[in-house]
Amino acid sequence: MKKLSLIYNPFSGGGWFKGQLDHYVSMLQKIGFVVDIFRLDGTADLGEYIKNLATLPCDAIVACGGDGTVSSIVNYMIIHDAKAPLAVLPSGTANDFGKFLNMPRNAEDFTKVLQQGNIVPIDIGKVNDKYFINVCGTGLFANVSQRVNKNIKSSLGKLGYYLKGLEEIPKFRPLPLRITNSKEVIELDAFLFLALNTTGAGGFGKLVPSASITDGMLDFVAFKACTLRELSKVFIKIMSPSGSQDIFDDPNVLYFKDTFAKVELLCVNEKYDICDIDGEYGPKLPITVGVLPKQISLYMP
């Protein structure tokens, strides 16, 4: 029989998965997996678990949680060279990565994905000595998920992020940044800078519709300092049903595709000098962002 490791966060998405655990284990067993369960509770050593897992026969790792949970698991998989293919079971508040993959979260459809066995090698982003699956960002809206009250996050879900972001707009001052890529050095005042491995972040799934996790590149987007009215027009384009490819023609948006970017903050700003990695705190600026092509294997529908 095949062996599967199920790593789950019992607090993601208001604890939705806990009541479904037995049903998922039953379905996984029905399709031929012996299931080992690891519960993330703040005291368990995920790094040590994956380090040991990397030395044992393992046919699949299931990451059940939000983007932060999946990102933590991927970081340790890379550090400890765990080769088993990863399957993402989205159960968090935002689940940007799971939505990008179009991964189902009901047990029947999820196990069908494992049965189909469509395993694809995908790119992983790197910022300094850490890795990201979806996005690395700094500025307005970055780190919002850390500043949202947990009760609000549980009751309002993704809306809580948006409300917190809107609350910060009046007191936010644009960040003077120096961005160096493989072709040029750019200096600008920006509200927000993002390095994307997928098409979107923060619930905006079509921010870069052409982005790919298999092209060996990252998509970089910066929203320049502008009036609130001009910024609103950009976000209206992003939220349009047709997608947001036309935002790259907007004079208030910087976009480029590359394998590398160094981002420096040209002032002292202790509140906004920390970047966000997949919804979790990342390193302080300056940061160097790159890509590891086809770094891990992933189950995809």
Side-chain angles (χ1 to χ4, degrees), residues 50-288:
I50 293 181
K51 181 180 179 180
N52 292 333
L53 189 68
T55 66
L56 301 171
C58 183
D59 297 287
I61 298 172
V62 173
C64 178
D67 292 329
T69 298
V70 178
S71 186
S72 294
I73 292 169
V74 167
N75 268 262
Y76 285 121
M77 287 178 65
I78 295 172
I79 291 169
H80 298 300
D81 198 28
K83 296 298 188 183
L86 179 71
V88 175
L89 178 53
S91 67
T93 302
N95 301 315
D96 288 313
F97 190 62
K99 289 177 181 176
F100 167 77
L101 300 175
N102 198 29
M103 284 296 290
R105 75 178 209 169
N106 71 76
E108 288 74 16
D109 290 339
F110 180 78
T111 50
K112 283 180 183 177
V113 173
L114 297 187
Q115 279 185 301
Q116 290 165 356
N118 181 34
I119 299 172
V120 179
I122 67 162
D123 307 330
I124 295 295
K126 183 177 183 181
V127 51
N128 292 0
D129 61 347
K130 296 187 179 295
Y131 307 95
F132 62 94
I133 52 169
N134 196 61
V135 63
C136 169
T138 189
L140 184 64
F141 301 125
N143 304 124
V144 161
S145 60
Q146 278 73 53
R147 297 193 292 273
V148 175
N149 180 280
K150 288 185 178 180
N151 293 328
I152 293 175
K153 188 175 177 180
S154 296
S155 59
L156 297 180
K158 193 163 55 180
L159 178 60
Y161 296 155
Y162 298 152
L163 293 176
K164 185 64 178 178
L166 292 173
E167 176 188 306
E168 296 192 3
I169 287 178
K171 53 189 177 184
F172 183 80
R173 295 293 177 268
L175 300 178
L177 299 178
R178 178 186 294 125
I179 303 169
T180 305
N181 60 30
S182 63
K183 297 178 181 178
E184 59 184 333
V185 178
I186 306 161
E187 291 191 2
L188 76 165
D189 292 338
F191 283 127
L192 177 66
F193 174 81
L194 301 172
L196 291 158
N197 191 34
T198 68
T199 58
F204 299 106
K206 296 181 180 179
L207 191 60
V208 185
S210 62
S212 168
I213 53 173
T214 59
D215 63 356
M217 305 282 281
L218 295 174
D219 292 82
F220 297 88
V221 182
F223 297 93
K224 301 177 184 178
C226 58
T227 66
L228 184 57
R229 182 178 179 182
E230 291 170 326
L231 185 63
S232 299
K233 289 180 179 179
V234 173
F235 276 91
I236 288 171
K237 291 178 182 179
I238 292 171
M239 293 184 289
S240 68
S242 60
S244 54
Q245 195 68 43
D246 57 346
I247 69 166
F248 306 138
D249 297 325
D250 193 296
N252 295 307
V253 177
L254 168 71
Y255 169 75
F256 61 91
K257 198 176 186 77
D258 209 324
T259 60
F260 159 85
K262 181 179 180 181
V263 184
E264 302 169 86
L265 180 61
L266 303 180
C267 73
V268 176
N269 188 326
E270 294 183 354
K271 184 175 181 180
Y272 291 100
D273 64 353
I274 298 177
C275 74
D276 173 279
I277 302 176
D278 293 328
E280 304 292 335
Y281 282 124
K284 288 190 173 185
L285 275 67
I287 55 173
T288 300

